[in-house]
Each structure stands twice: as structure tokens, then as C-alpha cells.
Amino acid sequence: EDQVTQSPEALRLQEGESSSLNCSYTVSGLRGLFWYRQDPGKGPEFLFTLYSAGEEKEKERLKATLTKKESFLHITAPKPEDSATYLCAVRRGGSNYKLTFGKGTLLTVNP
Amino acid sequence: AAGVIQSPRHLIKEKRETATLKCYPIPRHDTVYWYQQGPGQDPQFLISFYEKMQSDKGSIPDRFSAQQFSDYHSELNMSSLELGDSALYFCASSHIYNEQFFGPGTRLTVL
């Protein structure tokens, strides 16, 4: 069975204090690792898709990287508006459509 | 850009009642997914449809059914509602195996 483990469960940063979130995964034939941002009571907002080890993607203050066992979401000089839950999800290969999510990391950035 | 539309946004039902949730995918997306998110939980995959045919099935109770119509909108029908069905229900859409874009969700409360 596919497994996604995110750490830490919660992270509190000061504005401008860079850090990284971790997503470890076990999946048969990875066909995509996805990062989402979710604000309370709202739908997950798509951030990145990574498909192969060594791949990196960037968007503003966020950078996602992928190895064969884990992915990191690096946050550089975060701002209070970056506060949210960050979800990692994987899709297995074959004719599988579903995403299996981790439990997320709750990020709080204090001004 | 057009997003996924879900209705209603909030729904309150009594135990043993029936509920119908609707989802309108992003135009030209051919795949629709349904997820359930309980309080403090990660989204759990329920079911998906590709080109109006069921494509994948997760932990969806037998009391729930879903379908995708000719105009690509989808409906999730929930019968004999239980207290434990109270959750956020998200619809997502994508172009086949690409990244999934989530709607704002329907908050279902069962009393």
C-alpha cells in the first residue's frame, strides 16, 4: 500500500527564516509527486508536480525537490501569507488515478 | 482562469437523510475525482471518472454513489447519512493523469 509521511507535523517560523518540509514516500512505480497548499476550510491549491529523482521546481519563495525516497519543499525568506498546511501526495503508476496524501505540515510564519 | 465549481458550499442534513453534491470541472478536463476530508485529516480518495466512466475507486461506502454526466459534471449521492459522514467533500478535475485541481469543497454536517 502507498504510504506518505510528512514531517514535521507543525512548524513555526519567524518571517524571513528559511526552512524545509519533508515528504517521505513508499509507492509502487511513482507516477508523480504533488505538493499542495491548503488554507483552513478551503480546497487544496496545486503548487508543483515532480516526476523523477533529481527534478526541481520553483515558484516564488518555494522550491520543491525529489529523490527516490523523499521530497523536500524549501521555503526561502517566508512571509506571514505563506502560513498554511502543505500537503504532499503521490500517484502510483498503471491505471491508477487517485492521489494518496500525507497528513500535511502546518506552517505558521510569524511577523 | 476557470476553476472547479462545487455546490452547495454548505449542507446540513439529519441522520438517515440523503444528500447530493454537485461538481462542475474545469472546461476540457476529462477526469473528475471525489475526496472526503474529515476534521484535521488528509483528503481521502473516494472515486474518479474518466470520460464519464468510473476509472478508480477508493474507500467509498456502499451508501454512496456517483456518476459523471454527458456535460462532464459529476454528482455524489449519499444516502442513509451517518454522523461520521460529516466532513468536507472536495471535487477535483484534471486532464487524464496530470495534476488535479481542487474545488472549494462542500461542507456537509449531519445532525
Side-chain angles (χ1 to χ4, degrees), chain A residues 5-80:
Chain A
T5 303
Q6 292 188 245
S7 62
E9 291 184 8
L11 181 63
R12 191 177 292 272
L13 300 173
Q14 289 298 124
E15 185 172 1
E17 179 186 2
S18 301
S19 188
S20 296
L21 312 182
N22 177 265
C23 171
S24 298
Y25 63 90
T26 303
V27 62
S28 176
L30 180 72
R31 286 298 181 269
L33 183 141
F34 304 83
W35 281 99
Y36 287 86
R37 169 197 169 125
Q38 186 174 28
D39 293 304
K42 298 191 176 181
E45 174 189 344
F46 170 74
L47 295 174
F48 303 109
T49 308
L50 301 166
Y51 289 105
S52 55
E55 190 174 358
E56 299 182 350
K57 289 195 176 171
E58 285 188 70
K59 179 182 178 181
E60 296 180 352
R61 296 178 292 282
L62 300 177
K63 178 180 177 180
T65 62
L66 181 65
T67 72
K68 290 186 177 180
K69 295 183 178 179
E70 58 190 350
S71 176
F72 291 93
L73 184 65
H74 306 278
I75 302 176
T76 301
K79 298 182 178 181

Side-chain angles (χ1 to χ4, degrees), chain A residues 79-99:
Chain A
K79 298 182 178 181
E81 54 261 41
D82 294 323
S83 297
T85 295
Y86 290 84
L87 294 166
C88 172
V90 297
R91 192 179 77 78
R92 190 197 300 179
S95 59
N96 295 285
Y97 290 73
K98 73 173 187 178
L99 294 181

Side-chain angles (χ1 to χ4, degrees), chain A residues 36 38 43 97 99 102-103, chain B residues 35 37 42 45 56 90 100:
Chain A
Y36 287 86
Q38 186 174 28
Y97 290 73
L99 294 181
K103 298 202 176 300
Chain B
Y35 290 85
Q37 187 174 31
D42 53 291
F45 173 75
D56 205 351
F90 291 108
Q100 298 177 23

